[in-house]
Amino acid sequence: MQRRSNRFSQTEAGGCPGRPPGGTARSPHCVRADVIPVDAEFGLEARDLHPRRPGPGEAVRSIVSSGAPVRSPPPVEGLPAVPRQRVGWKGRKDEFPLRVAALSDCCEVPGSETMTEELDLHGQDSDGGSEEVVLTPAELIERLEQEDNLRRAQRGDLKVSIHRMEMERIRYVLSSYLRCRLMKIEKFFPHILEKEKMRSGGEPSILSPEEFIFVKEYMDHTETHLRNVALKHMPPNLQKVDLLRAVPKPDLDSYVFLRVKERQENILVEPEADEQRDYVIDLEEGSQHLIRYKTIAPLVASGAVQLI
Amino acid sequence: MDAAEVEFLAEKELVTIIPNFSLDKIYLIGGDLGPFNPGLPVEVPLWLAINLKQRQKCRLLPPEWMDVEKLEQMRDQERKEETFTPVPSPHYMEITKLLLNHASDNIPKADTIRTLIKDLWDTRMAKLRVSADSFVRQQEAHAKLDNLTLMEINSSGAFLTQALNHMYKLRTNLQPSESTQS
């Protein structure tokens, strides 16, 4: 199946229509505002790509909606559009690392396996939406690179190499994010497909179009393989395998580490010990916790906590 | 998450360098980096600082927390307290390692600092092990881990969460069978 390549056919590449005229928000120093329509706001802040962002049932976000500053995307609105204002390093010192961190976090943490699935459960367009978002930045990086090389060929090696280094770093983050998604898809493919089928028409997809094709093909291939290897030799009444039951579901009871973005009160903690002592805790902003995923699942979805 | 990935994230921290070349302002995707003038300090992300240092184009300045007295105080306080004390920087371990490996000539008393940071790290890891142990023993369902850096969480996090998951499964599967027996 096609592995994700940086070339995404699409429309998205063309520059998001409806991009808010705004680059007004941008500082005049925004890199290549003229070259890259999205004006590279796609600092690829992980937050923007982060699946947690959007609340359930939100309109499909597109890079377009990027107009909103991504900083703390209101759950109601669109997803953390990738684009965001660019300020100098000082301004974003905290954000950029966090964002990429968040991005990496969401992907790399094993617990996030269940997470993404959970997100998928809620029909978050985050995954799907973020895919769209991701497409364009990847595309844009390519374009940025080309422009870069053209314009800077004569401007000295140092600048070019610095830009190239940064590009590589961003590409690494992006690709590890995508790799993580593919890993999750491969691990839980029947459940993902099931969720896709169940999702109502109005809700945005959790997968990008390419991912959806990938899942379907993966499923077909697996079924074909099982059939050819074993099933067709079985007695006729045993020739079906229910992949939904055969493949383990994402485990929503696993423990995860999290960092709190917004203060939360009265989170119920249910110890599984014999004494039934459910108790509530408050989550202070900026604190870190270790807790079962199920209790905080909606908070992850709304972006109030961040997984580590 | 790998340790290498945590280091990758730590490389976004800003450090101060003194370049020996000049370059006008560059507009990176992540932000702008001010004009570089020889002899004038400028803040850049760590990945760039290390790279420039390797090309011998700059001199690194130690971050302000990387000072022997301050680190000694922190280490002593960490030893006294039962809980975790605030750290000098959320990525102190990675920054120290990178700076001391590549730029130890720019850091005064590099060896002492290395030892101090290592002591700090060891104390914190010991505390982490103890608290993880008590967490599991008492079958708690929730733990607060303020003041823990990503690297520390990551070092034992994967194992800890897997272990807790297994225990949870064992525990929850235990109860129904007990009730069926009775």
Side-chain angles (χ1 to χ4, degrees):
Chain A
M1 170 63 223
Q2 67 191 51
R3 273 316 176 140
R4 147 159 289 262
S5 74
N6 273 340
R7 285 286 153 204
F8 301 110
S9 35
Q10 41 273 35
T11 45
E12 277 135 20
C16 313
R19 176 155 307 125
T24 50
R26 304 183 253 148
S27 77
H29 292 312
C30 254
V31 160
R32 284 135 232 140
D34 49 329
V35 170
I36 310 276
V38 145
D39 78 359
E41 290 166 286
F42 65 99
L44 300 174
E45 312 312 330
R47 281 221 282 184
D48 312 335
L49 303 175
H50 202 300
R52 301 187 276 248
R53 271 306 138 29
E58 279 162 16
V60 173
R61 148 192 63 161
S62 60
I63 269 224
V64 176
S65 47
S66 62
V70 188
R71 213 214 204 125
S72 21
V76 191
E77 270 187 55
L79 306 165
V82 161
R84 63 172 279 146
Q85 301 204 7
R86 278 200 19 185
V87 186
W89 275 110
K90 300 246 166 23
R92 293 150 55 107
K93 170 161 79 138
D94 303 325
E95 292 158 20
F96 192 50
L98 269 186
R99 281 150 171 250
V100 182
L103 173 61
S104 303
D105 292 339
C106 85
C107 290
E108 314 296 349
V109 174
S112 71
E113 288 181 21
T114 53
M115 230 87 56
T116 305
E117 296 322 298
E118 176 66 4
L119 297 177
D120 297 350
L121 248 184
H122 290 160
Q124 305 243 348
D125 59 343
S126 54
D127 270 18
S130 62
E131 281 299 327
E132 297 162 41
V133 172
V134 168
L135 294 186
T136 314
E139 256 274 347
L140 288 168
I141 288 178
E142 299 280 342
R143 278 199 281 159
L144 180 59
E145 256 183 344
Q146 287 149 21
E147 294 295 333
D148 231 16
N149 290 341
L150 285 176
R151 285 154 63 122
R152 279 141 193 276
Q154 60 280 31
R155 283 209 218 150
D157 200 36
L158 190 57
K159 256 193 191 171
V160 173
S161 64
I162 292 179
H163 280 271
R164 199 168 289 143
M165 271 193 284
E166 196 194 13
M167 211 88 71
E168 290 297 321
R169 286 177 65 89
I170 294 179
R171 184 177 292 131
Y172 170 72
V173 174
L174 260 186
S175 60
S176 70
Y177 171 72
L178 297 171
R179 209 179 307 131
C180 182
R181 285 176 69 97
L182 285 178
M183 184 189 75
K184 289 181 193 179
I185 287 177
E186 287 183 7
K187 196 164 176 184
F188 301 120
F189 62 95
H191 307 286
I192 295 182
L193 269 182
E194 192 63 28
K195 274 170 215 151
E196 267 303 294
K197 285 196 195 112
M198 308 280 274
R199 123 190 122 79
S200 57
E203 288 170 17
S205 167
I206 50 181
L207 302 170
S208 77
E210 287 91 355
E211 279 176 346
F212 186 60
I213 297 173
F214 177 65
V215 178
K216 277 201 302 204
E217 287 197 4
Y218 193 86
M219 180 118 176
D220 291 340
H221 290 326
T222 312
E223 281 174 351
T224 315
H225 173 67
L226 289 176
R227 195 175 330 121
N228 290 342
V229 161
L231 287 181
K232 68 182 184 190
H233 304 294
M234 306 262 187
N237 58 332
L238 289 175
Q239 278 186 7
K240 285 237 167 283
V241 62
D242 182 3
L243 283 174
L244 262 182
R245 288 177 46 199
V247 174
K249 266 178 91 72
D251 181 11
L252 300 176
D253 284 322
S254 49
Y255 283 78
V256 291
F257 291 94
L258 59 92
R259 187 179 298 132
V260 180
K261 295 266 145 108
E262 297 163 8
R263 189 185 153 74
Q264 300 293 328
E265 308 203 337
N266 297 333
I267 307 297
L268 183 68
V269 176
E270 310 155 10
E272 54 289 319
D274 305 336
E275 315 91 73
Q276 301 299 326
R277 17 141 235 216
D278 294 3
Y279 56 97
V280 292
I281 51 173
D282 296 337
L283 300 178
E284 303 289 326
E285 186 170 334
S287 60
Q288 297 171 159
H289 301 266
L290 169 62
I291 199 169
R292 262 193 303 139
Y293 178 71
K294 206 182 256 180
T295 38
I296 49 124
L299 299 178
V300 174
S302 70
V305 308
Q306 174 190 354
L307 299 168
I308 338 184
Chain B
M1 206 189 285
D2 264 343
E5 283 159 359
V6 179
E7 191 186 57
F8 180 81
L9 296 175
E11 282 173 347
K12 298 193 182 279
E13 297 282 319
L14 294 180
V15 292
T16 317
I17 64 166
I18 299 184
N20 60 17
F21 59 96
S22 69
L23 194 60
D24 45 339
K25 205 165 177 187
I26 54 176
Y27 305 102
L28 290 181
I29 296 174
D32 304 337
L33 294 184
F36 296 81
N37 295 311
L40 293 182
V42 63
E43 287 213 337
V44 296
L46 187 57
W47 57 269
L48 184 57
I50 298 287
N51 193 277
L52 289 175
K53 173 73 185 176
Q54 282 172 332
R55 298 199 232 184
Q56 296 175 334
K57 283 188 173 313
C58 75
R59 192 160 70 83
L60 283 168
L61 291 180
E64 55 128 34
W65 51 264
M66 200 177 276
D67 170 62
V68 177
E69 287 87 31
K70 286 194 188 144
L71 289 178
E72 271 177 358
Q73 273 177 4
M74 280 188 221
R75 180 196 59 178
D76 295 333
Q77 194 175 14
E78 189 75 44
R79 283 183 179 162
K80 277 194 304 225
E81 300 276 331
E82 288 263 328
T83 56
F84 293 94
T85 57
V87 271
S89 147
H91 296 280
Y92 71 96
M93 196 64 194
E94 302 91 298
I95 295 180
T96 313
K97 172 183 167 274
L98 283 170
L99 286 182
L100 289 177
N101 282 351
H102 296 280
S104 53
D105 47 336
N106 294 150
I107 316 251
K109 302 201 202 155
D111 289 337
T112 324
I113 293 194
R114 205 190 293 260
T115 322
L116 286 172
I117 293 273
K118 183 158 191 330
D119 288 343
L120 190 63
W121 171 264
D122 288 339
T123 318
R124 291 174 69 90
M125 291 304 284
K127 278 191 201 170
L128 185 61
R129 275 193 288 270
V130 164
S131 61
D133 187 46
S134 69
F135 183 87
V136 169
R137 221 175 271 272
Q138 291 161 20
Q139 298 176 13
E140 303 265 354
H142 160 260
K144 197 159 192 285
L145 336 141
D146 287 349
N147 296 331
L148 268 184
T149 63
L150 189 58
M151 194 63 142
E152 287 154 0
I153 292 179
N154 183 62
S155 64
S156 53
F159 166 72
L160 188 59
T161 48
Q162 291 271 11
L164 290 172
N165 294 346
H166 280 306
M167 291 194 44
Y168 180 75
K169 284 201 193 87
L170 290 173
R171 224 177 280 131
T172 47
N173 287 330
L174 185 58
Q175 277 134 13
S177 64
E178 282 178 346
S179 61
T180 53
Q181 276 172 9
S182 62

